[in-house]
Amino acid sequence: MKITVNGAPAELGASRLDAALVELGYGEAKIATALNERFVPATARPQTTLSEGDRLEIVSPRQGG
Amino acid sequence: MPLFYGREIMSRMMLGTTQYPSPAIMAEAFGRSGAGIATVSVRREAGGAEGQGGGAFWQLVQRLGVTLLPNTAGCHSAREAVTTAQMARELFDTRWIKLEVIGHADTLQPDPFGLVEAARILTEEGFEVFPYTTEDVVLGERLLQAGCKVLMPWGAPIGTGLGLNNVYGLRSLRAQFPDVPMVVDAGLGLPSHAAAAMEMGFDAVLLNTAVARAGDPAAMAEAFGEAVRAGRRGFEADPMAPRDMAAPSTPLIGKAFLE
């Protein structure tokens, strides 16, 4: 399945968001996610199914002003 | 000390975490300024071995021992800002959000319409919103009606260091809502700018570039900290009213007659 992760194309075997994050190498990383411009809480990742063409954003804490 | 959404902060200085020459200098700047709040953001994280930048930064800011205020910097619509705030709440485990909805790419001035809309949505979702706003009194009132209990008017456009661009407007906003905690956010360049804001009765200042881009960031952070304390003390001491006519401070009575 082809989706977009942080603006770049990605090929995924997993169809659930929690499994996709492991496949993409995030493991235990401190991240938050949004799918197709909507926030997906960490607790909802196992119930969130990905579809072809989805846009996934994965963010972490960073410097801010 | 100021109360923001019921939480007392033991400093009137808020400091950003960007643009420092090194993490060590950033930590020293926080220590010497006495800042009680650090602003932070959320940004894209790479997966695998390239990632973990967020984890390293997370550990760094936790060691600062200050309260974190995540922002929605760079968002240009209410919807984008709301989603960013939701992600920030989960990452930083706080209801506080510095709400930025940028309306103009060059001046980075707030989009007042998107700002009010996002503030209303976020308040309904249980956020405690710190809106980055202009000094406009009507906009301030709308934000308060939307549920904000803090206002953060700009001094000047972000990163300019121009100081307090509209002293009359800031003074009007302060006078209009005397009981609302207010933070002058953005545009400060010199410690004297911070002191001036505090002398006007603002509760705190928020800055980043003026410290991080100084030749000696830690020393400038300390200078800002001193200016904030001096300005606040001056405000609390009830300054004299300025007047146009000169008045001698030394009594004329008893002056020797020498003509």
Side-chain angles (χ1 to χ4, degrees):
Chain A
M1 175 170 49
K2 289 190 173 77
I3 69 165
T4 303
V5 177
N6 285 346
E11 181 77 36
L12 277 182
S15 59
R16 274 182 7 214
L17 180 53
D18 59 338
L21 291 170
V22 172
E23 186 179 336
L24 290 165
Y26 290 92
E28 299 299 308
K30 188 171 180 60
I31 53 168
T33 53
L35 185 62
N36 300 326
E37 293 80 47
R38 291 191 180 279
F39 171 58
V40 180
T43 52
R45 288 176 198 158
Q47 298 90 47
T48 301
T49 308
L50 299 172
S51 304
E52 185 84 17
D54 274 352
R55 298 173 303 283
L56 177 62
E57 292 286 330
I58 304 167
V59 298
S60 67
R62 281 292 193 282
Q63 293 83 352
Chain B
M1 283 298 169
L3 276 178
F4 300 117
Y5 290 97
R7 194 187 309 180
E8 186 176 24
I9 300 297
M10 300 313 288
S11 169
R12 295 184 180 276
M13 184 158 160
M14 305 182 179
L15 194 54
T17 54
T18 76
Q19 306 176 81
Y20 293 88
S22 72
I25 291 175
M26 182 185 89
E28 191 186 354
F30 270 85
R32 286 175 66 177
S33 70
I37 289 175
T39 47
V40 291
S41 74
V42 302
R43 287 293 181 265
R44 284 173 168 173
E45 174 76 304
E50 295 173 21
Q52 301 176 6
F57 178 70
W58 174 240
Q59 290 175 8
L60 179 68
V61 292
Q62 282 190 305
R63 284 200 296 270
L64 295 176
V66 298
T67 301
L68 298 182
L69 175 59
N71 68 27
T72 63
C75 291
H76 285 256
S77 70
R79 184 181 173 190
E80 192 183 7
V82 167
T83 302
T84 301
Q86 291 166 332
M87 292 194 288
R89 175 162 64 177
E90 183 174 273
L91 274 180
F92 294 105
D93 193 24
T94 176
R95 288 189 289 177
W96 282 15
I97 190 75
K98 175 186 163 182
L99 180 60
E100 291 185 34
V101 182
I102 300 301
H104 193 276
D106 290 337
T107 63
L108 300 179
Q109 73 186 81
D111 169 357
F113 310 100
L115 186 65
V116 172
E117 183 187 353
R120 181 184 54 74
I121 294 168
L122 291 171
T123 300
E124 287 172 357
E125 292 190 9
F127 283 87
E128 295 174 336
V129 179
F130 293 64
Y132 165 63
T133 181
T134 68
E135 69 279 7
D136 190 286
V137 168
V138 178
L139 174 54
E141 187 156 39
R142 294 285 193 277
L143 288 166
L144 297 174
Q145 289 168 351
C148 298
K149 292 182 166 47
V150 175
L151 294 177
M152 300 219 296
W154 63 353
I158 296 170
T160 60
L162 291 172
L164 307 181
N165 254 2
N166 181 356
V167 169
Y168 168 79
L170 286 168
R171 208 179 289 283
S172 298
L173 184 70
R174 178 69 284 181
Q176 191 67 36
F177 308 109
D179 300 324
V180 175
M182 283 191 208
V183 183
V184 172
D185 172 17
L188 304 185
L190 292 168
S192 56
H193 301 155
M198 299 308 296
E199 287 165 3
M200 290 162 65
F202 286 93
D203 297 275
V205 297
L206 199 174
L207 63 148
N208 190 154
T209 309
V211 166
R213 290 294 195 206
D216 186 341
M220 186 60 84
E222 184 177 340
F224 265 99
E226 290 173 351
V228 167
R229 286 188 290 276
R232 179 66 190 185
R233 198 157 294 166
F235 169 73
E236 290 171 347
D238 190 13
M240 64 168 281
R243 60 184 186 185
D244 290 330
M245 297 301 294
S249 51
T250 304
L252 288 176
I253 296 171
K255 177 185 175 297
F257 188 79
L258 299 173
E259 282 192 53

